[in-house]
Amino acid sequence: MSTSSRTIDVRLTLKITSKQGNMKFSYPEIAVSKPLPTLADNEFESVAWGIENYGEDFKKLVVNKPAVGDQDVKIEMKFCGICHSDVHFALNELAAGSGSGSMYPIVPGHELVGTVVEVGRAVSRVAVGDDVAVGCIRDSCMDCKSCDSGDENYCAKGFTHTYNSPKSPAYSHIGGNQEVQNFGGYTQFDVVHERFVCKIPDGMELSKAGPIVCAGVTMWDPLKHWGATQPGKKMDIGIVGIGGLGTMGIKLASALGHRVVAISRSARKEELARSKGAHGFVVSTDPKSVEKEAGKLDLILDTIPAHHSIMPYLTMLSSSGTVVQLGCVGPLMEYSQLVLMFRRLSIASSVIGGVPSTQEVLDFCNKHNIYSDVKIVTADRLNEVYDELQDNNSDATRYVLDIKESLKL
Amino acid sequence: MSTSSRTIDVRLTLKITSKQGNMKFSYPEIAVSKPLPTLADNEFESVAWGIENYGEDFKKLVVNKPAVGDQDVKIEMKFCGICHSDVHFALNELAAGSGSGSMYPIVPGHELVGTVVEVGRAVSRVAVGDDVAVGCIRDSCMDCKSCDSGDENYCAKGFTHTYNSPKSPAYSHIGGNQEVQNFGGYTQFDVVHERFVCKIPDGMELSKAGPIVCAGVTMWDPLKHWGATQPGKKMDIGIVGIGGLGTMGIKLASALGHRVVAISRSARKEELARSKGAHGFVVSTDPKSVEKEAGKLDLILDTIPAHHSIMPYLTMLSSSGTVVQLGCVGPLMEYSQLVLMFRRLSIASSVIGGVPSTQEVLDFCNKHNIYSDVKIVTADRLNEVYDELQDNNSDATRYVLDIKESLKL
């Protein structure tokens, strides 16, 4: 894997600095990189797989994790999903979530699945022996309107991402050396505040649980926010982009009882979309195909993570409908205000979901037997998996790292 | 008034033809103009004030109105508000609402206020002697999901504007010669289907009622749709643009019990905004002023009818907040998806409101003594009023045509 030249190409593509009104966005050009300090008294060591310095390959590392505090849960990891955004973070392509460049050494992973092996004395939500999952959120202020309503992902002071984030001493929920960044789920053990730990429901396949706390909740939370999880409600829902997020969206919306229309630039995706539960299919580049659903969809979840026109989706919305963008798009997007106006349409965007939503989608997926298609890999294959994800993000299959097997290597 | 040269200048400014995804917008360059046919058997004559041919001045006309059908209400007009959009239609600047260019002769007016002088035999909502108002909607299909829910303004087949619109023979709700366009409220008598007639509440000042069924409902309906009319609910609401719409929005939101922040490009508007009930004031071009309200507003109603940046407003929205654009903007608008994403923000737009909302806002304004500042004029001053409105649309004062006095001229 020729990491350096590859990452530089991608960074040039993604780099933007645009002044938008009073706000300025800038993706970082230089990553933060500093050697790990020695183990502190309030820490322990955990084997992990990460990238030590910017541009290098993945390798086995030993990182320091905080000792178990009163409200902490120590998890022995069994699996960790490999999300496409792990690629962005590991290769310093995006600053999203951290506010700064990637922090090396970096241990990715925000689809943690494991078993509780120790709990702090004040922990009440889980017990030793429970199978649990942790998603993208490791910390939040726990004291704002968003946190109070279970939307920790919109914490007014900013949530702390599971990895590639500085600790938040102001929140004082994460122990250990406060100068050292957080490391993610490609690791043997992790310690997480119980608030951000979800219970894996009885019967769920652990190897397939990881993507649910990332892709699953990313689709579930907007379905919930825009009314699609209300009991008995029947909606017409469009899902744009038939990759990992899109196929999860099709499965969830379909299991909720809605009519689901898959929308793709490519007619090749129809069979896949229908096999996941889509009732209709639209080729968004074909005006005749778009016209068939014109004015019919109440909600469209758009998973495209690149600049694109949303006008075909607006055409398909019914009066008072909403298109929600779930993929990160750096460049400015365009819309016609007049098109919104004459049917009271909305353009929105959301990112993952809070802890209550994460627990809900775990329970719902378990009940309805909804899983992503996964490929289980060991840590020695991380470099090639990252190469493949960079080349092709449109596949519906999610890779999952088998921690137990990786430790045997 | 040099109508011809003035209107041509404005038309060149507003004319756009932009391909947006699969949709194409085009403002018309050529107005429809044809002489009025002779009176049909199912019509009667009404004095009106309008523009007979494109480019001409206002003058007194006699137009044909449909005879009173079973569900029709005949109104003897007392006042009609002069909306800024009347200027656009009368001068063929916009196609909005009609789908084609302005239709000459044109009689503007969609803020009708008068007294019922005759009703069809099936009419049950109003009776002879009632004071009534009619807003922007003269007809709709009455048979779609939007009409069923009282959102006739979002009728799936398109609502029929009170003037500058062809009749809709398919709906078969408007009598008279089906080949002749509808004429608006600058007239002695009008005949309207009872569905689109609102009752003026007891005690309301008739001369001030007109703007409520246009500017009033334009602000009320989005307040209602986005939750601000729910009893007991307290929100932080921004109002952008301190003109006719904006001041009405400030008064309504304030009377509903919300904290209202007026937002303007100009610090000069602060005194006016506060005098109408605003609790706070932001100069949108001053980052420090914007910063004071950063993340605080649940809903922003943006009345700017020209291309502008919405980024300062997004900055001021709280998590899950919405900015609603209420002014027509022809050119494409821009937004940052990332800014929407990390606080689940929405950009929306709405246009006027349905009949139930119109009745609600009339009743609410009467109860809370909310009126636009109005200047009463007679028809001989229409040309100069139009000149003034073209020169300055930022004034909060609304002109109202006194029909009774105009008839004496």
Side-chain angles (χ1 to χ4, degrees):
Chain A
M1 161 167 117
S2 57
T3 311
S4 301
S5 63
R6 184 188 62 186
T7 57
I8 286 166
D9 286 346
V10 175
R11 285 167 64 213
L12 287 175
T13 309
L14 286 171
K15 195 189 126 216
I16 58 159
T17 304
S18 57
K19 288 194 179 180
Q20 304 166 337
N22 296 307
M23 306 191 70
K24 188 180 170 189
F25 297 98
S26 175
Y27 289 112
E29 292 188 67
I30 301 163
V32 175
S33 188
K34 56 183 177 183
L36 284 181
T38 54
L39 194 68
D41 287 345
N42 56 356
E43 293 181 323
F44 69 95
E45 289 182 335
S46 176
V47 170
W49 294 269
I51 292 174
E52 191 163 15
N53 295 294
Y54 173 66
E56 293 178 359
D57 278 1
F58 271 96
K59 65 180 174 188
K60 187 186 279 193
L61 304 169
V62 175
V63 296
N64 306 338
K65 290 278 182 180
V68 177
D70 286 355
Q71 286 197 273
D72 287 341
V73 175
K74 184 173 180 178
I75 303 162
E76 183 175 7
M77 215 64 63
K78 290 188 172 163
F79 297 96
C80 186
I82 299 172
C83 178
H84 192 266
S85 62
D86 291 351
V87 179
H88 293 309
F89 284 117
L91 306 183
N92 191 39
E93 291 173 4
L94 281 174
S98 70
S100 61
S102 292
M103 309 176 81
Y104 296 92
I106 187 166
V107 176
H110 56 212
E111 301 180 2
L112 290 66
V113 175
T115 304
V116 177
V117 291
E118 186 183 343
V119 295
R121 58 183 179 174
V123 167
S124 60
R125 293 188 60 227
V126 294
V128 171
D130 285 350
D131 291 326
V132 295
V134 177
C136 300
I137 310 175
R138 187 184 284 279
D139 202 1
S140 73
C141 82
M142 304 188 194
D143 193 31
C144 69
K145 202 163 76 172
S146 292
C147 286
D148 288 349
S149 59
D151 291 325
E152 298 92 345
N153 49 325
Y154 302 117
C155 171
K157 295 179 182 170
F159 76 86
T160 303
H161 187 218
T162 301
Y163 67 91
N164 190 47
S165 58
K167 284 167 188 160
S168 313
Y171 302 165
S172 53
H173 303 137
I174 300 176
N177 185 337
Q178 298 297 301
E179 300 300 314
V180 179
Q181 67 266 35
N182 293 304
F183 301 111
Y186 301 0
T187 193
Q188 186 180 12
F189 293 104
D190 207 342
V191 172
V192 180
H193 189 287
E194 66 166 333
R195 178 171 181 138
F196 303 101
V197 175
C198 292
K199 280 181 110 164
I200 303 258
D202 290 344
M204 177 162 272
E205 295 182 52
L206 293 194
S207 66
K208 295 183 171 182
I212 296 172
V213 303
C214 179
V217 76
T218 295
M219 303 308 286
W220 179 265
D221 198 65
L223 286 169
K224 178 181 169 185
H225 186 71
W226 278 277
T229 65
Q230 289 171 20
K233 189 152 181 182
K234 299 292 175 202
M235 295 170 70
D236 296 279
I237 294 179
I239 305 285
V240 181
I242 316 304
L245 287 175
T247 49
M248 177 57 84
I250 291 171
K251 292 173 191 174
L252 292 173
S254 177
L256 283 162
H258 305 297
R259 185 176 78 92
V260 180
V261 177
I263 302 164
S264 175
R265 280 169 292 190
S266 164
R268 287 183 295 106
K269 294 278 190 167
E270 179 162 3
E271 191 180 333
L272 173 64
R274 290 194 184 272
S275 76
K276 303 303 178 191
H279 308 95
F281 187 83
V282 165
V283 180
S284 59
T285 50
D286 174 3
K288 284 186 185 166
S289 184
V290 170
E291 185 58 31
K292 283 190 300 183
E293 292 291 341
K296 292 188 180 169
L297 304 179
D298 303 303
L299 178 66
I300 295 177
L301 303 185
D302 169 9
T303 71
I304 306 289
H307 192 264
H308 59 293
S309 170
I310 57 167
M311 292 301 295
Y313 317 145
L314 297 180
T315 301
M316 289 185 267
L317 284 179
S318 64
S319 168
S320 305
T322 302
V323 57
V324 185
Q325 290 184 258
L326 303 168
C328 284
V329 181
L332 293 180
M333 296 280 293
E334 286 181 330
Y335 67 99
S336 159
Q337 179 270 333
L338 295 174
V339 168
L340 298 191
M341 180 178 234
F342 286 99
R343 282 183 298 132
R344 191 163 58 191
L345 308 181
S346 297
I347 298 167
S349 182
S350 79
V351 63
I352 56 169
V355 178
S357 280
T358 309
Q359 187 65 59
E360 284 165 22
V361 70
L362 280 166
D363 295 342
F364 185 85
C365 286
N366 189 50
K367 183 177 173 190
H368 294 273
N369 199 32
I370 294 173
Y371 295 107
S372 296
D373 298 328
V374 302
K375 282 186 192 165
I376 312 293
V377 295
T378 44
D380 54 323
R381 290 190 55 203
L382 278 170
N383 292 314
E384 70 184 88
V385 166
Y386 271 54
D387 275 343
E388 188 174 323
L389 289 175
Q390 276 220 303
D391 291 343
N392 179 16
N393 185 33
S394 64
D395 197 346
T397 302
R398 312 275 293 199
Y399 286 95
V400 172
L401 186 62
D402 185 327
I403 305 291
K404 292 293 206 187
E405 290 300 316
S406 297
L407 286 168
K408 294 176 188 170
L409 297 173
Chain B
M1 159 169 118
S2 58
T3 310
S4 300
S5 65
R6 182 188 64 186
T7 57
I8 286 167
D9 286 344
V10 174
R11 286 167 64 215
L12 287 176
T13 308
L14 286 171
K15 196 191 126 219
I16 58 161
T17 305
S18 56
K19 289 193 180 180
Q20 304 166 337
N22 297 309
M23 306 191 69
K24 189 181 170 188
F25 296 98
S26 174
Y27 288 111
E29 292 187 69
I30 301 163
V32 175
S33 188
K34 56 183 176 182
L36 284 182
T38 53
L39 194 68
D41 287 345
N42 56 357
E43 293 181 322
F44 69 94
E45 289 183 336
S46 176
V47 171
W49 294 270
I51 292 174
E52 191 163 14
N53 295 294
Y54 173 67
E56 294 178 358
D57 278 2
F58 271 94
K59 66 179 175 190
K60 187 186 281 194
L61 303 170
V62 175
V63 296
N64 306 338
K65 290 277 182 180
V68 177
D70 286 354
Q71 286 196 274
D72 286 341
V73 176
K74 183 174 181 178
I75 303 163
E76 183 175 8
M77 216 63 64
K78 290 188 172 162
F79 297 96
C80 187
I82 299 171
C83 178
H84 192 267
S85 62
D86 291 350
V87 179
H88 293 310
F89 284 118
L91 306 183
N92 192 40
E93 291 172 5
L94 282 174
S98 71
S100 61
S102 291
M103 310 175 81
Y104 297 91
I106 187 167
V107 176
H110 56 212
E111 302 181 0
L112 290 65
V113 175
T115 304
V116 177
V117 291
E118 186 183 343
V119 295
R121 58 183 179 173
V123 166
S124 60
R125 293 188 60 228
V126 294
V128 171
D130 285 351
D131 291 326
V132 295
V134 176
C136 300
I137 309 175
R138 186 184 285 280
D139 202 1
S140 72
C141 82
M142 305 187 194
D143 192 31
C144 68
K145 201 163 79 173
S146 292
C147 285
D148 288 349
S149 60
D151 291 325
E152 298 92 346
N153 49 325
Y154 302 117
C155 171
K157 295 180 183 169
F159 76 86
T160 304
H161 187 219
T162 302
Y163 68 91
N164 190 47
S165 58
K167 283 168 188 161
S168 312
Y171 302 164
S172 53
H173 303 136
I174 300 176
N177 185 337
Q178 298 298 301
E179 301 300 314
V180 180
Q181 66 266 33
N182 293 304
F183 301 111
Y186 300 1
T187 194
Q188 186 180 12
F189 293 104
D190 207 342
V191 172
V192 180
H193 189 287
E194 66 166 334
R195 179 173 180 136
F196 304 101
V197 174
C198 292
K199 279 181 113 162
I200 303 260
D202 290 344
M204 176 163 271
E205 294 182 51
L206 292 193
S207 66
K208 295 183 171 182
I212 297 172
V213 302
C214 179
V217 75
T218 295
M219 302 309 285
W220 179 265
D221 198 65
L223 286 168
K224 177 181 169 185
H225 185 72
W226 278 277
T229 64
Q230 289 170 20
K233 189 153 183 182
K234 298 293 175 201
M235 296 170 71
D236 296 278
I237 294 179
I239 304 286
V240 181
I242 316 304
L245 286 175
T247 50
M248 178 56 85
I250 291 171
K251 292 173 191 173
L252 292 174
S254 177
L256 283 162
H258 305 297
R259 184 176 78 92
V260 180
V261 177
I263 302 164
S264 176
R265 280 169 291 192
S266 164
R268 287 183 296 105
K269 294 279 190 166
E270 179 162 3
E271 192 180 331
L272 173 63
R274 290 193 185 272
S275 76
K276 303 302 178 191
H279 308 95
F281 187 82
V282 165
V283 180
S284 59
T285 50
D286 174 4
K288 283 185 186 167
S289 183
V290 170
E291 185 58 31
K292 282 190 300 181
E293 291 291 341
K296 291 188 181 169
L297 304 179
D298 304 302
L299 177 66
I300 294 176
L301 303 185
D302 169 8
T303 70
I304 307 290
H307 191 264
H308 59 294
S309 169
I310 57 167
M311 292 303 294
Y313 317 145
L314 297 180
T315 300
M316 288 185 267
L317 285 179
S318 64
S319 168
S320 305
T322 301
V323 57
V324 186
Q325 290 184 258
L326 302 168
C328 283
V329 181
L332 294 180
M333 296 278 293
E334 286 181 330
Y335 67 99
S336 159
Q337 179 270 333
L338 295 173
V339 168
L340 298 190
M341 179 178 234
F342 286 98
R343 283 183 296 132
R344 191 164 57 191
L345 308 180
S346 297
I347 298 167
S349 182
S350 79
V351 62
I352 56 168
V355 179
S357 279
T358 308
Q359 187 65 61
E360 283 165 23
V361 72
L362 279 166
D363 295 340
F364 185 86
C365 286
N366 190 49
K367 183 176 173 191
H368 294 273
N369 198 33
I370 294 173
Y371 296 106
S372 296
D373 298 328
V374 301
K375 282 187 192 164
I376 311 293
V377 296
T378 43
D380 55 323
R381 290 189 56 203
L382 278 170
N383 292 315
E384 71 184 88
V385 167
Y386 271 54
D387 275 344
E388 189 175 323
L389 288 175
Q390 276 221 301
D391 291 342
N392 178 19
N393 185 34
S394 64
D395 196 345
T397 302
R398 311 276 294 200
Y399 286 96
V400 172
L401 186 62
D402 185 326
I403 305 292
K404 292 292 205 186
E405 289 302 315
S406 297
L407 285 168
K408 294 177 186 169
L409 297 174

